[in-house]
């Protein structure tokens, strides 16, 4: 996982709980990297899981809730860093559909070692209902929901998100406007 994901996570923790909490969760997570992340480095995604689970222990908040909150936060960072990917979509569903067909394709060109999920997108029932089937060996479904929530807020959308587990560890997100 790219270092930027870690530096943004620790920034969110610092903003919400202060630097002491950042030090505490780094210490308690027993990280191979020691918690010294650079934005361009690449680190094992299990370090992110360890940090979130330590934060959960320290704060009492659920791991899923923390990952969702972080997804929203991360969306705002990514949208700020890469405005060209967010501009030019007519609406939230067109944007979300482009994550697989365009945005992550471009991300892969910039960072060949990026660990990206795959999405199968379709609109089987109506143009106002996007189905996204998420698949990733990292199982960041909650982070994914947070990124979708962040996208909807960015587009000032009141669309709803429905989640369903599928076979083979995949997850279906239905976004309805
Ligand atoms: C401006 C928009 C976006 C940019 C530039 C972007 C870029 C990235 C980058 C750099 C990573 C980290 C890869 C790594 O650590 O190796 C990532 C991961 C991820 N992205 Fe995006 N992304 C964007 C929007 C979205 C949206 C809207 C979603 C949800 C529909 C999404 C879903 C994910 C997920 C779930 C991961 C975690 C990796 C995994 O699950 O395997 N991204 N993305």
């Amino acid at each position: 996982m790219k270092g930027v994901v870690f530096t943004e996570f620790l920034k969110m923790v610092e903003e919400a709980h202060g630097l002491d909490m950042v030090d505490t969760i780094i210490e308690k997570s027993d990280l191979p990297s020691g918690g010294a992340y650079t934005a361009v480095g690449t680190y094992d995604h299990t370090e992110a899981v360890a940090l979130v689970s330590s934060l959960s222990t320290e704060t009492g908040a659920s791991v899923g809730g923390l990952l969702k909150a972080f997804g929203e936060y991360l969306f705002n960072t990514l949208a700020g860093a890469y405005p060209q990917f967010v501009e030019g979509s007519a609406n939230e569903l067109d944007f979300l559909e482009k994550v697989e067909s365009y945005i992550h394709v471009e991300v892969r060109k910039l960072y060949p070692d990026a660990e990206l999920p795959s999405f199968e997108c379709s609109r089987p029932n109506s143009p106002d209902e996007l189905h996204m089937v998420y698949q990733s060996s990292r199982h960041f479904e909650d982070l994914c929901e947070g990124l979708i929530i962040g996208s909807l807020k960015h587009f000032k959308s009141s669309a709803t998100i429905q989640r369903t587990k599928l076979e083979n560890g995949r997850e279906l997100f239905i976004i309805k406007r």
Side-chain angles (χ1 to χ4, degrees):
M1 187 146 233
K2 300 306 294 175
V4 62
V5 177
F6 292 88
T7 53
E8 284 304 310
F9 177 71
L10 295 175
K11 206 166 96 202
M12 179 186 81
V13 174
E14 183 181 347
E15 284 167 17
H17 304 284
L19 253 184
D20 284 354
M21 180 64 91
V22 173
D23 290 340
T24 303
I25 63 170
I26 287 175
E27 235 164 73
K28 297 207 166 165
S29 299
D30 198 15
L31 305 161
S33 73
Y37 301 108
T38 65
V40 291
T42 301
Y43 307 88
D44 198 312
H45 81 279
T46 55
E47 290 204 13
V49 176
L51 284 165
V52 174
S53 107
S54 298
L55 183 63
S56 164
T57 306
E58 293 301 313
T59 61
S62 71
V63 167
L66 291 170
L67 279 171
K68 249 194 262 183
F70 177 52
E72 251 193 272
Y73 186 95
L74 185 61
F75 175 80
N76 290 324
T77 308
L78 293 171
Y82 302 99
Q84 70 275 22
F85 292 153
V86 187
E87 287 158 10
S89 292
N91 59 53
E92 71 283 37
L93 299 190
D94 287 4
F95 168 74
L96 287 169
E97 211 164 24
K98 274 204 247 167
V99 171
E100 174 73 14
S101 65
Y102 169 58
I103 299 170
H104 281 176
V105 175
E106 294 301 312
V107 168
R108 161 94 53 224
K109 290 183 196 164
L110 294 170
Y111 309 105
D113 61 347
E115 296 176 318
L116 298 164
S118 81
F119 291 102
E120 261 171 56
C121 297
S122 61
R123 304 196 199 195
N125 301 322
S126 138
D128 288 330
E129 187 183 314
L130 176 65
H131 291 216
M132 297 179 86
V133 177
Y134 166 90
Q135 187 162 25
S136 167
S137 58
R138 289 162 291 281
H139 287 286
F140 280 136
E141 290 83 6
D142 293 314
L143 180 72
C144 186
E145 184 176 345
L147 283 157
I148 296 172
I149 293 170
S151 309
L152 296 181
K153 285 193 178 162
H154 177 89
F155 282 89
K156 301 194 171 29
S157 162
S158 54
T160 57
I161 304 169
Q162 193 191 311
R163 272 173 71 167
T164 315
K165 277 199 192 321
L166 303 179
E167 73 286 3
N168 302 329
R170 298 173 309 151
E171 185 107 348
L172 168 65
F173 290 88
I174 298 177
I175 302 110
K176 236 191 242 187
R177 43 199 242 121

